[in-house]
Amino acid sequence: VLLFLITQDLPLILLLALLALCYLTAIELASEDDPIMIKAWWVLLVFLTAFEVLVSFLQAFIFTILTAVYIGSSMHPEH
């Protein structure tokens, strides 16, 4: 989302959906009577977000390495 905000190419519907989800989550958590459930939801949210970021960085690293190996092998002829 930050990349889209920096480049100004964020579709308006995506921004509105993101804001609506944040608003609905805040409303749902505010109406929760059990403070342990609120903490559990936030811990789960942070854990899953961190896991998604880790997976995306791992994918980017692997594809970068594979591309570098492919380009390197195509530039040097086999012996």
Side-chain angles (χ1 to χ4, degrees):
V1 173
L2 290 176
L3 178 63
F4 289 127
L5 288 174
I6 291 170
T7 60
Q8 300 296 321
D9 287 338
L10 180 66
L12 182 60
I13 189 72
L14 182 62
L15 180 62
L16 291 176
L18 182 64
L19 291 174
L21 286 174
C22 290
Y23 176 74
L24 291 173
T25 302
I27 292 289
E28 183 67 28
L29 288 176
S31 67
E32 190 70 41
D33 292 334
D34 190 10
I36 294 176
M37 284 301 292
I38 295 173
K39 292 177 184 174
W41 278 113
W42 281 108
V43 167
L44 182 65
L45 177 70
V46 169
F47 173 74
L48 289 178
T49 303
F51 182 70
E52 289 177 9
V53 169
L54 174 71
V55 168
S56 66
F57 277 115
L58 186 62
Q59 284 180 341
F61 176 74
I62 289 172
F63 288 130
T64 302
I65 294 298
L66 288 174
T67 303
V69 167
Y70 176 75
I71 291 173
S73 66
S74 68
M75 295 182 75
H76 299 291
E78 294 292 327
H79 294 286

